[in-house]
Short mmCIF file of all heavy atoms in Angstrom, two decimals:
data_model
loop_
_atom_site.label_atom_id
_atom_site.label_comp_id
_atom_site.label_asym_id
_atom_site.label_seq_id
_atom_site.Cartn_x
_atom_site.Cartn_y
_atom_site.Cartn_z
N MET A 1 126.38 -130.35 237.84
CA MET A 1 126.05 -131.35 236.86
C MET A 1 126.00 -130.67 235.48
O MET A 1 125.41 -129.61 235.33
CB MET A 1 124.71 -132.00 237.21
CG MET A 1 124.44 -133.20 236.35
SD MET A 1 122.93 -134.04 236.97
CE MET A 1 122.04 -134.15 235.44
N SER A 2 126.60 -131.32 234.47
CA SER A 2 126.61 -130.80 233.19
C SER A 2 125.26 -130.86 232.48
O SER A 2 124.50 -131.79 232.72
CB SER A 2 127.62 -131.46 232.33
OG SER A 2 128.91 -131.26 232.82
N GLN A 3 124.98 -129.88 231.65
CA GLN A 3 123.78 -129.87 230.91
C GLN A 3 124.16 -129.85 229.38
O GLN A 3 125.25 -129.42 229.06
CB GLN A 3 122.91 -128.66 231.23
CG GLN A 3 122.32 -128.70 232.62
CD GLN A 3 121.33 -127.62 232.91
OE1 GLN A 3 121.70 -126.42 232.86
NE2 GLN A 3 120.09 -127.96 233.19
N ALA A 4 123.17 -130.20 228.61
CA ALA A 4 123.43 -130.27 227.17
C ALA A 4 122.55 -129.27 226.46
O ALA A 4 121.35 -129.19 226.78
CB ALA A 4 123.31 -131.67 226.63
N CYS A 5 123.07 -128.64 225.42
CA CYS A 5 122.23 -127.73 224.66
C CYS A 5 121.25 -128.46 223.75
O CYS A 5 121.66 -129.41 223.12
CB CYS A 5 123.20 -126.86 223.77
SG CYS A 5 122.33 -125.73 222.69
N THR A 6 120.03 -128.02 223.81
CA THR A 6 119.01 -128.76 223.04
C THR A 6 119.12 -128.35 221.51
O THR A 6 118.53 -129.02 220.69
CB THR A 6 117.60 -128.50 223.55
OG1 THR A 6 117.30 -127.00 223.47
CG2 THR A 6 117.43 -128.92 224.98
N GLU A 7 119.81 -127.28 221.30
CA GLU A 7 119.92 -126.82 219.90
C GLU A 7 121.09 -127.53 219.14
O GLU A 7 120.90 -128.06 218.08
CB GLU A 7 120.22 -125.28 219.86
CG GLU A 7 119.15 -124.44 220.55
CD GLU A 7 117.89 -124.37 219.77
OE1 GLU A 7 117.88 -124.54 218.52
OE2 GLU A 7 116.81 -124.15 220.37
N CYS A 8 122.23 -127.57 219.75
CA CYS A 8 123.42 -128.11 219.07
C CYS A 8 124.05 -129.24 219.80
O CYS A 8 125.06 -129.83 219.37
CB CYS A 8 124.41 -126.97 218.82
SG CYS A 8 125.26 -126.33 220.35
N HIS A 9 123.50 -129.63 220.97
CA HIS A 9 123.97 -130.79 221.70
C HIS A 9 125.27 -130.66 222.44
O HIS A 9 125.85 -131.60 222.96
CB HIS A 9 124.06 -132.09 220.78
CG HIS A 9 122.76 -132.54 220.35
ND1 HIS A 9 122.54 -133.90 220.02
CD2 HIS A 9 121.54 -132.00 220.20
CE1 HIS A 9 121.23 -134.04 219.66
NE2 HIS A 9 120.64 -132.88 219.76
N ARG A 10 125.79 -129.44 222.43
CA ARG A 10 127.11 -129.14 223.13
C ARG A 10 126.83 -129.33 224.64
O ARG A 10 125.86 -128.90 225.23
CB ARG A 10 127.52 -127.71 222.82
CG ARG A 10 128.73 -127.27 223.62
CD ARG A 10 129.97 -127.69 222.91
NE ARG A 10 131.18 -127.12 223.56
CZ ARG A 10 132.35 -126.97 222.92
NH1 ARG A 10 132.48 -127.31 221.70
NH2 ARG A 10 133.35 -126.41 223.59
N ILE A 11 127.78 -129.99 225.35
CA ILE A 11 127.70 -130.09 226.78
C ILE A 11 128.31 -128.89 227.42
O ILE A 11 129.47 -128.54 227.06
CB ILE A 11 128.39 -131.43 227.27
CG1 ILE A 11 127.58 -132.63 226.79
CG2 ILE A 11 128.51 -131.46 228.79
CD1 ILE A 11 128.27 -133.96 226.97
N THR A 12 127.62 -128.28 228.33
CA THR A 12 128.12 -127.05 228.93
C THR A 12 127.91 -127.03 230.43
O THR A 12 126.92 -127.66 230.92
CB THR A 12 127.42 -125.82 228.26
OG1 THR A 12 127.84 -124.65 228.93
CG2 THR A 12 125.87 -125.96 228.39
N SER A 13 128.67 -126.33 231.15
CA SER A 13 128.55 -126.19 232.57
C SER A 13 127.99 -124.88 232.94
O SER A 13 127.68 -124.61 234.12
CB SER A 13 129.87 -126.43 233.32
OG SER A 13 130.84 -125.50 232.78
N GLY A 14 127.80 -123.97 232.03
CA GLY A 14 127.26 -122.65 232.29
C GLY A 14 125.80 -122.62 232.13
O GLY A 14 125.13 -123.62 232.05
N THR A 15 125.18 -121.39 232.07
CA THR A 15 123.81 -121.26 231.89
C THR A 15 123.32 -121.05 230.43
O THR A 15 122.18 -121.11 230.11
CB THR A 15 123.29 -120.07 232.69
OG1 THR A 15 124.00 -118.88 232.42
CG2 THR A 15 123.43 -120.34 234.20
N THR A 16 124.32 -120.78 229.57
CA THR A 16 124.00 -120.69 228.16
C THR A 16 125.08 -121.45 227.36
O THR A 16 126.21 -121.68 227.85
CB THR A 16 124.10 -119.19 227.66
OG1 THR A 16 125.38 -118.67 228.00
CG2 THR A 16 122.99 -118.34 228.26
N CYS A 17 124.70 -121.93 226.23
CA CYS A 17 125.58 -122.70 225.37
C CYS A 17 126.71 -121.83 224.77
O CYS A 17 126.52 -120.69 224.32
CB CYS A 17 124.80 -123.21 224.17
SG CYS A 17 125.77 -124.13 222.99
N ALA A 18 127.95 -122.36 224.98
CA ALA A 18 129.12 -121.57 224.51
C ALA A 18 129.28 -121.54 223.04
O ALA A 18 129.90 -120.67 222.47
CB ALA A 18 130.36 -122.21 225.11
N VAL A 19 128.59 -122.45 222.36
CA VAL A 19 128.67 -122.47 220.89
C VAL A 19 127.66 -121.64 220.16
O VAL A 19 127.97 -120.78 219.37
CB VAL A 19 128.63 -123.92 220.39
CG1 VAL A 19 128.64 -123.99 218.88
CG2 VAL A 19 129.77 -124.74 220.94
N CYS A 20 126.34 -121.86 220.51
CA CYS A 20 125.25 -121.17 219.82
C CYS A 20 124.60 -120.11 220.62
O CYS A 20 123.76 -119.39 220.11
CB CYS A 20 124.25 -122.23 219.21
SG CYS A 20 123.27 -122.98 220.50
N GLY A 21 124.94 -120.09 221.89
CA GLY A 21 124.40 -118.99 222.74
C GLY A 21 123.00 -119.27 223.31
O GLY A 21 122.40 -118.39 223.91
N SER A 22 122.50 -120.44 222.94
CA SER A 22 121.09 -120.80 223.41
C SER A 22 121.10 -121.03 224.92
O SER A 22 122.02 -121.48 225.49
CB SER A 22 120.60 -122.03 222.65
OG SER A 22 119.42 -122.50 223.20
N SER A 23 119.96 -120.61 225.49
CA SER A 23 119.82 -120.90 226.93
C SER A 23 118.87 -122.09 227.16
O SER A 23 118.48 -122.43 228.29
CB SER A 23 119.22 -119.68 227.66
OG SER A 23 118.04 -119.30 227.10
N ALA A 24 118.54 -122.86 226.04
CA ALA A 24 117.65 -124.01 226.11
C ALA A 24 118.57 -125.18 226.41
O ALA A 24 118.96 -125.94 225.51
CB ALA A 24 116.96 -124.17 224.82
N LEU A 25 118.89 -125.38 227.68
CA LEU A 25 119.74 -126.46 228.12
C LEU A 25 118.89 -127.51 228.82
O LEU A 25 117.89 -127.21 229.41
CB LEU A 25 120.82 -125.97 229.06
CG LEU A 25 121.68 -124.82 228.63
CD1 LEU A 25 122.65 -124.39 229.69
CD2 LEU A 25 122.42 -125.15 227.31
N SER A 26 119.39 -128.81 228.73
CA SER A 26 118.63 -129.86 229.36
C SER A 26 119.62 -130.78 230.13
O SER A 26 120.70 -131.10 229.63
CB SER A 26 117.92 -130.70 228.30
OG SER A 26 117.34 -131.87 228.90
N SER A 27 119.17 -131.23 231.30
CA SER A 27 119.99 -132.16 232.06
C SER A 27 119.60 -133.60 231.70
O SER A 27 120.23 -134.58 232.17
CB SER A 27 119.85 -131.97 233.52
OG SER A 27 118.46 -132.05 233.90
N ASP A 28 118.59 -133.76 230.81
CA ASP A 28 118.10 -135.07 230.44
C ASP A 28 118.74 -135.42 229.03
O ASP A 28 118.15 -135.25 228.04
CB ASP A 28 116.63 -135.02 230.31
CG ASP A 28 115.99 -136.42 230.09
OD1 ASP A 28 116.76 -137.41 230.18
OD2 ASP A 28 114.79 -136.52 229.85
N TRP A 29 119.97 -135.82 229.14
CA TRP A 29 120.66 -136.19 227.90
C TRP A 29 121.41 -137.49 228.05
O TRP A 29 121.61 -137.96 229.17
CB TRP A 29 121.62 -135.09 227.44
CG TRP A 29 122.71 -134.74 228.45
CD1 TRP A 29 122.58 -133.81 229.43
CD2 TRP A 29 123.98 -135.34 228.64
NE1 TRP A 29 123.70 -133.76 230.16
CE2 TRP A 29 124.63 -134.70 229.72
CE3 TRP A 29 124.69 -136.32 227.91
CZ2 TRP A 29 125.92 -135.00 230.13
CZ3 TRP A 29 125.95 -136.64 228.32
CH2 TRP A 29 126.55 -136.00 229.45
N SER A 30 121.74 -138.16 227.01
CA SER A 30 122.45 -139.41 227.10
C SER A 30 123.42 -139.55 225.88
O SER A 30 123.24 -138.94 224.83
CB SER A 30 121.46 -140.59 227.07
OG SER A 30 120.74 -140.64 225.82
N GLY A 31 124.40 -140.38 226.10
CA GLY A 31 125.44 -140.58 225.08
C GLY A 31 126.42 -139.47 225.15
O GLY A 31 126.09 -138.29 225.02
N TYR A 32 127.70 -139.80 225.23
CA TYR A 32 128.74 -138.77 225.40
C TYR A 32 129.72 -138.91 224.28
O TYR A 32 130.25 -140.04 224.05
CB TYR A 32 129.41 -138.95 226.77
CG TYR A 32 130.53 -138.04 227.02
CD1 TYR A 32 130.29 -136.75 227.42
CD2 TYR A 32 131.85 -138.48 226.92
CE1 TYR A 32 131.33 -135.93 227.76
CE2 TYR A 32 132.92 -137.67 227.21
CZ TYR A 32 132.64 -136.36 227.64
OH TYR A 32 133.71 -135.58 227.90
N ALA A 33 130.00 -137.87 223.56
CA ALA A 33 130.96 -137.89 222.49
C ALA A 33 131.95 -136.71 222.56
O ALA A 33 131.52 -135.63 222.72
CB ALA A 33 130.25 -137.89 221.16
N VAL A 34 133.19 -137.01 222.45
CA VAL A 34 134.19 -136.00 222.36
C VAL A 34 134.62 -135.88 220.93
O VAL A 34 135.17 -136.80 220.32
CB VAL A 34 135.47 -136.25 223.27
CG1 VAL A 34 136.50 -135.16 223.06
CG2 VAL A 34 135.08 -136.36 224.71
N ILE A 35 134.38 -134.76 220.32
CA ILE A 35 134.75 -134.56 218.93
C ILE A 35 136.04 -133.68 218.85
O ILE A 35 136.08 -132.57 219.23
CB ILE A 35 133.56 -133.85 218.17
CG1 ILE A 35 132.38 -134.83 218.15
CG2 ILE A 35 134.00 -133.49 216.74
CD1 ILE A 35 131.11 -134.22 217.63
N VAL A 36 137.03 -134.31 218.32
CA VAL A 36 138.38 -133.71 218.29
C VAL A 36 138.60 -133.08 216.93
O VAL A 36 139.14 -132.00 216.75
CB VAL A 36 139.49 -134.73 218.61
CG1 VAL A 36 140.85 -134.11 218.48
CG2 VAL A 36 139.27 -135.30 219.96
N ASP A 37 138.19 -133.78 215.89
CA ASP A 37 138.36 -133.34 214.51
C ASP A 37 137.01 -133.37 213.73
O ASP A 37 136.71 -134.40 213.15
CB ASP A 37 139.38 -134.20 213.86
CG ASP A 37 139.81 -133.58 212.44
OD1 ASP A 37 139.14 -132.74 211.95
OD2 ASP A 37 140.76 -134.06 211.89
N PRO A 38 136.26 -132.28 213.82
CA PRO A 38 134.90 -132.32 213.25
C PRO A 38 134.83 -132.62 211.79
O PRO A 38 133.89 -133.23 211.30
CB PRO A 38 134.38 -130.89 213.47
CG PRO A 38 135.21 -130.41 214.61
CD PRO A 38 136.55 -131.01 214.47
N SER A 39 135.88 -132.23 211.01
CA SER A 39 135.87 -132.46 209.58
C SER A 39 136.06 -133.98 209.23
O SER A 39 135.72 -134.37 208.14
CB SER A 39 136.98 -131.65 208.91
OG SER A 39 138.23 -132.12 209.35
N ARG A 40 136.56 -134.73 210.18
CA ARG A 40 136.72 -136.16 209.90
C ARG A 40 135.77 -137.01 210.70
O ARG A 40 135.92 -138.25 210.69
CB ARG A 40 138.24 -136.55 210.23
CG ARG A 40 139.26 -135.89 209.36
CD ARG A 40 140.52 -136.49 209.60
NE ARG A 40 141.57 -135.80 208.84
CZ ARG A 40 142.84 -136.23 208.85
NH1 ARG A 40 143.24 -137.23 209.55
NH2 ARG A 40 143.75 -135.54 208.14
N SER A 41 134.96 -136.40 211.49
CA SER A 41 134.07 -137.18 212.43
C SER A 41 132.70 -137.44 211.84
O SER A 41 132.04 -136.49 211.44
CB SER A 41 133.95 -136.46 213.79
OG SER A 41 133.00 -137.04 214.53
N ASN A 42 132.30 -138.63 211.78
CA ASN A 42 130.91 -138.95 211.28
C ASN A 42 129.89 -138.54 212.34
O ASN A 42 128.75 -138.06 211.94
CB ASN A 42 130.75 -140.51 211.06
CG ASN A 42 131.54 -140.95 209.87
OD1 ASN A 42 131.63 -140.18 208.87
ND2 ASN A 42 132.06 -142.12 209.92
N ILE A 43 130.28 -138.55 213.58
CA ILE A 43 129.30 -138.09 214.60
C ILE A 43 129.07 -136.58 214.47
O ILE A 43 128.00 -136.10 214.57
CB ILE A 43 129.89 -138.45 215.97
CG1 ILE A 43 130.03 -139.95 216.22
CG2 ILE A 43 128.98 -137.89 217.15
CD1 ILE A 43 130.76 -140.34 217.48
N ALA A 44 130.16 -135.85 214.19
CA ALA A 44 130.07 -134.44 214.00
C ALA A 44 129.13 -134.09 212.84
O ALA A 44 128.35 -133.20 212.93
CB ALA A 44 131.42 -133.82 213.75
N LYS A 45 129.21 -134.85 211.75
CA LYS A 45 128.38 -134.62 210.60
C LYS A 45 126.97 -134.86 210.95
O LYS A 45 126.00 -134.16 210.60
CB LYS A 45 128.80 -135.51 209.45
CG LYS A 45 130.08 -135.06 208.82
CD LYS A 45 130.43 -135.90 207.58
CE LYS A 45 131.79 -135.49 207.05
NZ LYS A 45 132.75 -136.60 207.01
N LYS A 46 126.74 -135.99 211.73
CA LYS A 46 125.42 -136.37 212.09
C LYS A 46 124.73 -135.30 212.97
O LYS A 46 123.58 -134.99 212.92
CB LYS A 46 125.49 -137.68 212.84
CG LYS A 46 124.18 -138.53 212.88
CD LYS A 46 124.41 -139.87 213.52
CE LYS A 46 123.14 -140.59 213.67
NZ LYS A 46 123.42 -141.96 214.30
N LEU A 47 125.58 -134.74 213.91
CA LEU A 47 125.04 -133.77 214.80
C LEU A 47 125.13 -132.31 214.26
O LEU A 47 124.67 -131.36 214.90
CB LEU A 47 125.83 -133.78 216.14
CG LEU A 47 125.74 -135.09 216.96
CD1 LEU A 47 126.60 -134.97 218.17
CD2 LEU A 47 124.29 -135.35 217.36
N ASN A 48 125.69 -132.22 213.09
CA ASN A 48 125.94 -130.95 212.40
C ASN A 48 126.81 -129.97 213.25
O ASN A 48 126.46 -128.84 213.48
CB ASN A 48 124.56 -130.24 212.16
CG ASN A 48 124.59 -129.32 210.99
OD1 ASN A 48 125.50 -129.38 210.17
ND2 ASN A 48 123.62 -128.45 210.86
N VAL A 49 127.92 -130.52 213.74
CA VAL A 49 128.85 -129.85 214.64
C VAL A 49 130.09 -129.46 213.84
O VAL A 49 130.63 -130.20 213.05
CB VAL A 49 129.19 -130.79 215.78
CG1 VAL A 49 130.43 -130.32 216.46
CG2 VAL A 49 128.09 -130.92 216.78
N ASN A 50 130.48 -128.21 214.02
CA ASN A 50 131.71 -127.68 213.36
C ASN A 50 132.86 -127.40 214.28
O ASN A 50 133.95 -127.10 213.84
CB ASN A 50 131.37 -126.44 212.54
CG ASN A 50 130.28 -126.66 211.54
OD1 ASN A 50 130.39 -127.65 210.76
ND2 ASN A 50 129.26 -125.81 211.47
N LEU A 51 132.61 -127.45 215.56
CA LEU A 51 133.62 -127.11 216.55
C LEU A 51 133.96 -128.35 217.38
O LEU A 51 133.09 -129.12 217.68
CB LEU A 51 133.13 -126.02 217.57
CG LEU A 51 133.08 -124.60 216.92
CD1 LEU A 51 132.35 -123.69 217.96
CD2 LEU A 51 134.47 -124.03 216.74
N ARG A 52 135.27 -128.49 217.78
CA ARG A 52 135.62 -129.55 218.65
C ARG A 52 135.06 -129.34 220.01
O ARG A 52 134.82 -128.21 220.46
CB ARG A 52 137.18 -129.68 218.65
CG ARG A 52 137.79 -128.37 219.09
CD ARG A 52 139.24 -128.63 219.55
NE ARG A 52 140.11 -129.14 218.53
CZ ARG A 52 141.35 -129.64 218.78
NH1 ARG A 52 141.86 -129.57 220.01
NH2 ARG A 52 142.05 -130.12 217.81
N GLY A 53 134.91 -130.41 220.76
CA GLY A 53 134.42 -130.31 222.11
C GLY A 53 133.60 -131.56 222.52
O GLY A 53 133.63 -132.58 221.89
N GLU A 54 132.89 -131.35 223.59
CA GLU A 54 132.08 -132.45 224.19
C GLU A 54 130.64 -132.30 223.79
O GLU A 54 130.00 -131.26 223.95
CB GLU A 54 132.21 -132.47 225.73
CG GLU A 54 133.62 -132.64 226.20
CD GLU A 54 133.74 -132.31 227.65
OE1 GLU A 54 133.31 -131.21 228.04
OE2 GLU A 54 134.27 -133.16 228.42
N TYR A 55 130.01 -133.41 223.34
CA TYR A 55 128.65 -133.36 222.87
C TYR A 55 127.85 -134.51 223.43
O TYR A 55 128.37 -135.59 223.60
CB TYR A 55 128.57 -133.29 221.37
CG TYR A 55 129.16 -132.06 220.76
CD1 TYR A 55 130.48 -132.01 220.52
CD2 TYR A 55 128.34 -130.93 220.52
CE1 TYR A 55 131.03 -130.80 219.97
CE2 TYR A 55 128.88 -129.80 219.98
CZ TYR A 55 130.29 -129.71 219.70
OH TYR A 55 130.81 -128.58 219.24
N ALA A 56 126.51 -134.32 223.51
CA ALA A 56 125.63 -135.34 223.86
C ALA A 56 124.94 -135.90 222.61
O ALA A 56 124.67 -135.13 221.68
CB ALA A 56 124.53 -134.80 224.85
N LEU A 57 124.83 -137.22 222.57
CA LEU A 57 124.25 -137.83 221.38
C LEU A 57 122.74 -137.62 221.32
O LEU A 57 122.16 -137.39 220.26
CB LEU A 57 124.52 -139.34 221.31
CG LEU A 57 126.04 -139.65 221.15
CD1 LEU A 57 126.23 -141.13 221.09
CD2 LEU A 57 126.68 -139.01 219.94
N LYS A 58 122.07 -137.70 222.51
CA LYS A 58 120.62 -137.51 222.58
C LYS A 58 120.36 -136.47 223.59
O LYS A 58 120.80 -136.61 224.74
CB LYS A 58 119.97 -138.81 222.85
CG LYS A 58 119.89 -139.75 221.72
CD LYS A 58 119.04 -140.96 222.01
CE LYS A 58 119.03 -141.95 220.87
NZ LYS A 58 118.37 -143.21 221.25
N VAL A 59 119.52 -135.49 223.31
CA VAL A 59 119.08 -134.47 224.27
C VAL A 59 117.54 -134.44 224.24
O VAL A 59 116.98 -134.25 223.19
CB VAL A 59 119.63 -133.07 223.99
CG1 VAL A 59 119.21 -132.10 225.03
CG2 VAL A 59 121.15 -133.09 223.84
N ARG A 60 116.96 -134.55 225.35
CA ARG A 60 115.48 -134.53 225.39
C ARG A 60 114.98 -133.15 225.93
O ARG A 60 115.73 -132.51 226.58
CB ARG A 60 114.88 -135.68 226.22
CG ARG A 60 115.06 -136.96 225.59
CD ARG A 60 114.53 -138.06 226.50
NE ARG A 60 115.09 -139.33 226.03
CZ ARG A 60 116.22 -139.93 226.60
NH1 ARG A 60 116.75 -139.28 227.60
NH2 ARG A 60 116.64 -141.05 226.16
ZN1 ZN B 101 124.19 -124.86 221.51
#
């Protein structure tokens, strides 16, 4: 089961976040967003995301 990084909201299948390196992952997340073009995405700006990929909208 995928987990989401509590720091940057990146969805990851490993034990640490591939983007920020944080090990603070949570399986309690909701909302799924695929960001293809961060520079044009309002969701990316909202989440403060600079890399393309899969993100959770809410992470608890
Ligand atoms: Zn992260």
Side-chain angles (χ1 to χ4, degrees):
M1 190 172 130
S2 294
Q3 291 187 300
C5 176
T6 59
E7 303 287 336
C8 68
H9 290 205
R10 176 84 174 203
I11 293 171
T12 176
S13 55
T15 53
T16 56
C17 176
V19 175
C20 69
S22 171
S23 58
L25 308 177
S26 173
S27 57
D28 188 8
W29 57 271
S30 62
Y32 177 79
V34 177
I35 294 170
V36 178
D37 189 348
S39 63
R40 294 188 186 184
S41 168
N42 288 327
I43 299 170
K45 287 184 185 121
K46 202 173 174 182
L47 297 177
N48 208 18
V49 162
N50 300 313
L51 285 169
R52 57 161 61 189
E54 299 166 307
Y55 294 87
L57 296 181
K58 286 185 181 174
V59 184
R60 291 180 198 93

